[in-house]
Amino acid sequence: MDKLIIGGKELKNRLFIGSGKFADESLIGDIVAQTGVEVVTVALRRVNLNGGKENILNYIPKDCVLLPNTSGARNAEEAVRIARLARAAGCGNWVKIEVISDNKYLLPDNNETIKATRILAEEGFVVLPYMHPDLYAAKELERAGAAAIMPLGAPIGTNRGLKTKEIVRILIEECELPVIVDAGIGKPSEAAEAMELGAAAVLVNTAIATAGNPAMMANAFSQAVQAGRQAFLAQPGETTEFARASSPLTGFLRS
Amino acid sequence: MHVTVNGEVVELSESTPLLDYLISRNLNPAVLVVEYNRKILHRDRWSQIQIGDGDTLEILSFVGGG
């Protein structure tokens, strides 16, 4: 069996989903049931003291691995604070480090992300850092104790696809850790593209949550991730410049 | 007395056990995480801690996010 192991946990499903932006959060449970998604991200926020929505955890099946993010953190210190609070909520010790101070493109700050990763890995967290694809930063995250690295495909929520393909390909080739493409993946074909490169998994939120039919889109992503993974394992044939006939070039019927 | 809750100053008539305060705000304690004066406060202690003048609380819960 082709399994992915992260932080000692064996995962069968290589599609991770985010729980943000769903117009109807109750769809999350249906999506998990249909696709077998095992990892779901959440965020931690101040409660609305004047009454608010139902808690997101009510919509995420209990057997899912919860992956709280540190969104809102602008530096390592804030990310560490959020991660510790998330763990104190009693939903496991996984954390997606997200340190962002750029409000236009929401690009992650690799230096602060490395610092936070080092501290939290030391404290026993399973750390999945969201990162700008860069080989030196990836190596540093590896040394800092990350359980996987999560390079972006394109800016968060843009649905623009795997714009960072060449560097992601190099990270996959050069890093020991699982590479999970996070952010920007807008269509199933782009998820398949990441998986064909050898990505360990992809994390998709906006593309599913904001689709006209989120459940159907989640199914499409699930199939694309499986197809891409199989294609990677099957080892694609070589590409060539000129045509090579697939049918025999002898025994033609001639008049 | 004044307590800062999630960045807002809240008026309390008397020192109150944290758990009672949470319930008085119609919050479900089971899904919350609380930071009390910048320290994470384990839920076992929510009924013992008395919140009073000058205290700072952060009351958080999980929401949808990517």
Side-chain angles (χ1 to χ4, degrees):
Chain A
M1 255 308 265
D2 174 39
K3 281 175 185 152
L4 170 61
I5 296 173
I6 293 179
K9 166 100 181 158
E10 212 176 75
L11 300 168
K12 292 185 222 46
N13 200 295
R14 292 170 182 271
L15 173 63
F16 296 7
I17 64 165
S19 61
K21 300 184 189 169
F22 280 88
D24 175 6
E25 291 175 330
S26 70
L27 284 175
I28 296 168
D30 299 343
I31 287 171
V32 168
Q34 274 176 33
T35 59
V37 160
E38 292 167 284
V39 179
V40 182
T41 65
V42 291
L44 193 65
R45 288 291 181 273
R46 285 172 164 171
V47 294
N48 183 352
L49 294 167
N50 304 312
K53 290 199 295 185
E54 185 118 26
N55 191 271
I56 188 77
L57 299 185
N58 294 341
Y59 298 115
I60 302 174
K62 298 287 167 267
D63 49 355
C64 284
V65 176
L66 217 57
L67 179 57
N69 66 37
T70 65
S71 60
R74 291 158 298 180
N75 54 44
E77 193 188 339
E78 290 178 358
V80 167
R81 182 183 180 200
I82 295 167
R84 287 173 179 159
L85 280 161
R87 182 161 69 174
C91 298
N93 63 344
W94 286 41
V95 66
K96 168 180 159 178
I97 308 276
E98 199 177 318
V99 182
I100 294 171
S101 51
D102 155 45
N103 288 325
K104 186 172 179 188
Y105 288 108
L106 300 176
L107 294 176
D109 180 331
N110 280 352
N111 288 331
E112 293 295 311
T113 301
I114 291 163
K115 278 190 228 166
T117 298
R118 194 174 291 124
I119 294 166
L120 292 169
E122 186 76 18
E123 292 180 12
F125 282 84
V126 174
V127 183
L128 290 86
Y130 172 57
M131 70 171 311
H132 196 88
D134 173 86
L135 182 60
Y136 300 101
K139 292 282 184 189
E140 204 55 50
L141 287 167
E142 227 163 46
R143 281 190 287 273
I149 53 169
M150 302 210 292
L152 61 95
I156 293 172
T158 59
N159 286 344
R160 287 164 65 85
L162 192 56
K163 297 295 179 194
T164 56
K165 185 170 182 177
E166 186 55 20
I167 308 298
V168 167
R169 184 189 68 73
I170 293 171
L171 295 186
I172 290 167
E173 187 184 304
E174 296 299 314
C175 295
E176 302 289 323
L177 291 176
V179 174
I180 300 165
V181 177
D182 179 7
I185 299 294
K187 292 194 284 295
S189 56
E190 295 153 2
E193 193 181 10
M195 297 306 294
E196 285 168 10
L197 282 184
V202 294
L203 199 167
V204 180
N205 187 349
T206 302
I208 292 173
T210 65
N213 183 334
M216 193 187 281
M217 189 58 84
N219 261 336
F221 266 102
S222 176
Q223 291 176 43
V225 166
Q226 287 174 46
R229 179 65 187 174
Q230 279 187 38
F232 169 74
L233 294 174
Q235 302 166 26
E238 63 173 333
T239 54
T240 63
E241 177 100 24
F242 300 111
R244 289 184 186 174
S246 302
S247 309
L249 291 170
T250 55
F252 291 121
L253 178 68
R254 295 278 192 247
S255 56
Chain B
M1 59 184 67
H2 294 95
V3 178
T4 305
V5 183
N6 288 358
E8 282 175 35
V9 178
V10 172
E11 176 90 37
L12 285 185
S13 54
E14 55 181 347
S15 176
T16 309
L18 172 61
L19 188 61
D20 293 359
Y21 176 73
L22 297 175
I23 292 165
S24 77
R25 299 302 302 250
N26 290 320
L27 297 170
N28 172 9
V31 300
L32 302 177
V33 53
V34 175
E35 213 184 52
Y36 173 68
N37 295 335
R38 294 283 294 195
K39 289 209 173 88
I40 296 169
L41 196 61
H42 194 269
R43 62 179 69 249
D44 295 353
R45 300 188 55 212
W46 292 357
S47 53
Q48 298 152 19
I49 291 283
Q50 293 276 332
I51 54 171
D53 202 35
D55 282 343
T56 300
L57 284 177
E58 289 288 347
I59 305 171
L60 307 123
S61 69
F62 287 122
V63 299

